Amino acid sequence: MAHVVLTTEIITVPACEELASSETYGAVLSFSGVVRNHSGGKQVSFLEYDAYVPLAQSELLRIANEAEAMWPVTAVIAHRYGRLEIGEVSVIVSIGSAHRAPAFDACRWCIDTLKQDVPIWKRETGPDGSFWIEGPQSVKAEDR
Amino acid sequence: MPTIIVHLYGHYQDFYPGGLVAVEVPPLATVREAAEALAAADPRFLGVASACRFAVNDAYASLDAAIPHDATVALIPPVSGG
């Protein structure tokens, strides 16, 4: 059964993979998105993820449910919001399946669709100031 | 004219305290009419009908969708989660 989490707390691969596992599954795999120290040629010191929480939760669940309708898998998606430091995990997609091929396909589809549709935004802060990331664009943010 | 409150996200939330803006719209306005009213009230919103998505009552809504009385409306620029 699909399971999604949108949280300000730390998310971990073992917790997500446990939810994606079953005795009938021979494959469990995970994608982790990690906060990196550069973006668009600029140095990044830390990130804040802003979420439109009710719609982000319903979109995450829609994506996980659609993945389970398209492939014979269990889909688990966890996304953090709030402030994250460099190296912290921001998103995890864990997929369980009887065999590896649908697991890889479903995992790729879930993270790609999440990046198009789930209303969450990065606000990157570095030596050059803070910037909202909106799709491919970076927009200078007001100081806080 | 009815007033709706639009919840702003991304850099648009920096324009108004609390990320909320009130805008007057025609009765039973569509999302497109709300986008046009935003741009008429503040030129920083010019182009949002094509550049952004909108949500009504916490669900994505098309530009032709009608906005019910007392609905929650949100302006959603291109996302960058993940």
Side-chain angles (χ1 to χ4, degrees), chain B residues 21-52:
Chain B
V21 59
V23 63
E24 286 193 343
V25 295
L28 296 175
T30 62
V31 170
R32 187 190 314 276
E33 287 171 319
E36 288 166 355
L38 274 175
D42 183 335
R44 293 176 294 183
F45 292 111
L46 278 170
V48 292
S50 55
C52 298

Side-chain angles (χ1 to χ4, degrees), chain A residues 49-52 54-55 58-59 79 90-91 111 114-122 132-135 139-142 144, chain B residues 7-15 44 52-60 72-82:
Chain A
Y49 282 89
D50 186 44
Y52 174 7
L55 181 56
S58 62
E59 281 293 296
H79 205 302
S90 57
V91 61
I111 188 63
L114 180 157
K115 282 175 164 284
Q116 284 174 16
D117 289 342
V118 179
I120 298 174
W121 296 266
K122 294 182 181 83
W132 286 106
I133 309 304
E134 297 177 7
V139 185
K140 187 87 176 76
E142 297 287 319
R144 283 180 177 164
Chain B
H7 295 245
L8 304 171
Y9 288 94
H11 80 280
Y12 295 99
Q13 70 186 260
D14 292 343
F15 293 172
R44 293 176 294 183
C52 298
R53 298 166 85 174
F54 286 82
V56 176
N57 288 336
D58 297 338
Y60 281 121
T72 300
V73 177
L75 171 65
I76 302 177
V79 302
S80 58

Side-chain angles (χ1 to χ4, degrees), chain A:
Chain A
M1 194 183 74
H3 193 98
V4 302
V5 175
L6 180 62
T7 177
T8 57
E9 307 288 319
I10 288 171
I11 54 177
T12 70
V13 167
C16 292
E17 290 196 345
E18 187 175 337
L19 290 166
S21 296
S22 155
E23 289 184 355
T24 62
Y25 288 167
V28 178
L29 63 87
S30 292
F31 168 86
S32 298
V34 182
V35 178
R36 62 171 182 244
N37 68 357
H38 64 97
S39 171
K42 286 197 284 283
Q43 192 180 331
V44 175
S45 305
F46 65 90
L47 270 189
E48 290 156 282
Y49 282 89
D50 186 44
Y52 174 7
V53 171
L55 181 56
Q57 282 174 326
S58 62
E59 281 293 296
L60 288 171
L61 189 57
R62 175 187 66 80
I63 291 166
N65 280 329
E66 285 190 16
E68 293 190 357
M70 290 190 287
W71 292 278
V73 300
T74 295
V76 176
I77 310 175
H79 205 302
R80 275 184 76 181
Y81 66 105
R83 177 172 168 150
L84 276 77
E85 308 301 327
I86 305 303
E88 286 197 284
V89 174
S90 57
V91 61
I92 297 169
V93 178
S94 293
I95 306 287
S97 186
H99 304 285
R100 68 185 182 283
F104 277 112
D105 291 347
C107 188
R108 177 67 186 258
W109 182 85
C110 282
I111 188 63
D112 288 352
T113 307
L114 180 157
K115 282 175 164 284
Q116 284 174 16
D117 289 342
V118 179
I120 298 174
W121 296 266
K122 294 182 181 83
R123 186 180 185 275
E124 299 174 342
T125 297
D128 301 325
S130 296
F131 296 84
W132 286 106
I133 309 304
E134 297 177 7
Q137 289 196 307
S138 171
V139 185
K140 187 87 176 76
E142 297 287 319
D143 291 334
R144 283 180 177 164

